[in-house]
């Protein structure tokens, strides 16, 4: 994150960040056990991997949280990536027989010249993620000059 932020700052390029959090991992763990929770994490990781370009980077950064770095990506394109991830997660059939669906919330931010550090960019994505969770989860919230857009994409 630091290197991509510095690159965007130095070369005046676009750079976006997605923070993604599983909404119901605790429920999956409590209802079906920790092996099921591990399966859920692996499925989300697989979906993120197939949803991004080879130049993008994705990391598991917490118990049920992932970070996706999108170099040379404006906020609108980052939102499209977030939508693609969400649709694939919502349509996952990994727990179909157990009547549990995967749900994720996402916060998206993008590099801008008013940011003084990578922390600021991360904090914007984090605030957007928390707003998505406060809306009840299964939302995408983008930070663009303040938190300005959100979208709830339901399973198809």
């Amino acid at each position: 994150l630091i290197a991509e932020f510095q690159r965007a700052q130095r070369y005046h390029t676009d750079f976006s960040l997605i923070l993604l959090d599983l909404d119901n991992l605790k429920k999956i763990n409590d209802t079906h056990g920790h092996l099921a929770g591990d399966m859920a994490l692996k499925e989300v990781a697989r979906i993120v991997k197939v949803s991004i370009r080879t130049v993008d980077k994705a990391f598991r950064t917490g118990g049920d949280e992932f970070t996706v770095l999108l170099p040379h990506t404006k906020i609108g394109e980052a939102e499209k990536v977030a939508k693609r991830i969400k649709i694939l997660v919502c349509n996952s059939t990994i727990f179909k027989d157990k009547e549990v669906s995967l749900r994720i919330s996402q916060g998206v931010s993008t590099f801008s010249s008013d940011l003084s550090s990578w922390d600021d960019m991360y904090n914007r994505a984090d605030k957007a993620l928390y707003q998505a969770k406060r809306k009840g989860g299964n939302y995408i919230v983008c930070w663009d000059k303040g938190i300005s857009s959100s979208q709830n994409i339901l399973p198809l």
Side-chain angles (χ1 to χ4, degrees), residues 1-135:
L1 175 57
I2 295 168
E4 287 300 336
F5 182 87
Q6 289 172 340
R7 187 175 292 115
Q9 199 172 35
R10 179 177 176 132
Y11 298 110
H12 308 285
T13 60
D14 297 309
F15 169 51
S16 292
L17 169 69
I18 300 172
L19 296 184
L20 177 153
D21 189 86
L22 275 77
D23 292 329
N24 56 347
L25 182 63
K26 180 174 176 14
K27 180 179 178 183
I28 292 169
N29 283 336
D30 291 348
T31 306
H32 302 291
H34 289 277
L35 290 179
D38 289 346
M39 285 175 40
L41 289 167
K42 288 177 184 176
E43 176 69 356
V44 170
R46 183 194 67 75
I47 288 169
V48 169
K49 185 176 180 180
V50 301
S51 300
I52 62 175
R53 305 166 300 187
T54 56
V55 297
D56 301 331
K57 303 287 184 234
F59 308 91
R60 182 175 172 203
T61 50
D64 58 355
E65 191 170 288
F66 294 82
T67 300
V68 181
L69 307 179
L70 303 165
H72 304 285
T73 306
K74 296 179 187 296
I75 191 80
E77 292 301 312
E79 186 176 22
K80 288 179 185 177
V81 173
K83 287 178 186 177
R84 184 168 48 244
I85 292 169
K86 177 171 280 315
I87 288 168
L88 289 172
V89 167
C90 287
N91 289 317
S92 174
T93 59
I94 189 169
F95 294 118
K96 188 174 184 176
D97 61 324
K98 295 181 179 179
E99 298 180 18
V100 175
S101 61
L102 292 177
R103 295 169 39 98
I104 59 170
S105 294
Q106 297 177 85
V108 183
S109 69
T110 195
F111 173 80
S112 63
S113 58
D114 68 319
L115 295 170
S116 60
S117 74
W118 65 271
D119 282 333
D120 294 337
M121 186 175 172
Y122 185 90
N123 286 333
R124 285 181 178 181
D126 196 44
K127 286 178 183 175
L129 173 62
Y130 276 100
Q131 181 167 340
K133 294 198 91 46
R134 278 193 302 274
K135 289 176 171 282

